[in-house]
Amino acid sequence: MRLLIVEDEERLARNLAAMFESSGYAVDLAFDGERAERLLCDERYDAAILDLGLPKIDGVTVLRRCRSASNAVPILVLSARGSWHEKVEAIDSGADDFVVKPFQIEEVMARVRALIRRAAGQLQSELRHGALTLDPRTAKVTLGGAPMRLTSHEYRVLAYLMHHRDRVVSQIELTEHIYAQDFERDSNTVEVFIGRLRRKLGATSIETVRGLGYRMGAP
Ligand code: CA
């Protein structure tokens, strides 16, 4: 899962990024509204965290422009003030959720997981597919109850496929959702990760749909 964090307090932004990265997310950072807007246009995210008070372009404007460009990415808004006016304005401008500063990072993480889960049409915190479970709260995977050791990129590939296990995911889509922007991408590496996941989870765990991409194998 790939996340955009837009926050001009750099220390806070980097703390959030570190927490999300250690939970298996690919994270991009923007410290002003202009870069946020460009990244939202050009990149594919599973969720975004957007501070309202930002240099260059304010958060509500970023939000409105994003929605008027038909970008449906789930957005959690952060605000320094807890006024109900501001919440109403943000939600009416297209925010999906709202957290007032100062906050506990755990609460922000739980809300982001919920947004991603809902956007993917999942109801449970823990994702299950046959004997396989993936818990986005801990970034842990088990097979038949036994914990599996996955690298961070193997986990990202599996997490994306598990969130979208009712459909085929193309190699390009997978590539867009497992790497942060500054990472040198090579779509061939997706094949390598899939091969390693099959060795660890079983040859039929992930199916190749010729010409289209990948999907979780029949459980
Ligand atoms: Ca701010």
Side-chain angles (χ1 to χ4, degrees):
M1 299 288 134
R2 186 172 172 204
L3 183 67
L4 174 65
I5 297 175
V6 187
E7 167 58 71
D8 58 319
E9 288 171 53
E10 270 195 52
R11 223 171 68 113
L12 174 60
R14 292 192 194 283
N15 280 341
L16 278 168
M19 288 291 280
F20 276 98
E21 279 164 355
S22 69
S23 294
Y25 294 79
V27 179
D28 288 341
L29 285 177
F31 304 122
D32 65 69
E34 203 172 271
R35 177 166 160 81
E37 200 182 356
R38 196 169 58 244
L39 285 172
L40 281 166
C41 270
D42 295 347
E43 305 292 329
R44 296 286 162 268
Y45 295 102
D46 296 292
I49 295 174
L50 177 67
D51 183 33
L52 289 184
L54 290 172
K56 298 187 185 172
I57 304 174
D58 69 273
V60 168
T61 304
V62 171
L63 198 51
R64 288 206 181 107
R65 289 183 185 167
C66 172
R67 295 314 186 208
S68 60
S70 301
N71 187 336
V73 62
I75 295 178
L76 170 70
V77 159
L78 304 179
S79 169
R81 296 176 300 277
S83 83
W84 66 268
H85 293 103
E86 200 171 62
K87 287 188 192 175
V88 169
E89 191 190 16
I91 290 167
D92 279 343
S93 303
D96 298 284
D97 201 356
F98 196 102
V99 172
V100 175
K101 293 179 187 172
F103 49 74
Q104 293 295 322
I105 286 188
E106 286 74 12
E107 181 185 350
V108 169
M109 295 183 81
R111 289 179 183 274
V112 166
R113 286 194 297 271
L115 289 178
I116 290 175
R117 195 162 70 221
R118 282 203 293 275
Q122 305 294 340
L123 301 175
Q124 311 284 344
S125 306
E126 189 181 71
L127 305 179
R128 286 168 185 278
H129 186 74
L132 195 62
T133 69
L134 181 143
D135 192 337
R137 293 168 295 188
T138 54
K140 296 261 190 302
V141 172
T142 66
L143 180 64
M148 302 305 295
R149 290 172 73 94
L150 302 183
T151 66
S152 65
H153 283 96
E154 288 163 10
Y155 173 83
R156 289 179 193 178
V157 168
L158 185 67
Y160 196 79
L161 289 174
M162 286 283 275
H163 275 87
H164 300 281
R165 62 188 181 276
D166 48 353
R167 65 176 176 87
V168 178
V169 176
S170 73
Q171 199 174 59
I172 291 171
E173 183 180 342
L174 263 177
T175 308
E176 284 172 340
H177 289 267
I178 63 168
Y179 295 119
Q181 198 214 12
D182 51 6
F183 200 90
E184 207 174 308
R185 289 175 212 185
D186 175 359
S187 62
N188 290 326
T189 57
V190 165
E191 260 181 78
V192 174
F193 297 139
I194 296 273
R196 288 190 202 150
L197 283 168
R198 282 179 179 142
R199 279 198 291 283
K200 291 181 180 180
L201 307 175
T204 57
S205 56
I206 298 167
E207 203 184 319
T208 298
V209 183
R210 199 181 293 268
L212 295 175
Y214 302 101
R215 148 173 85 200
M216 294 306 296

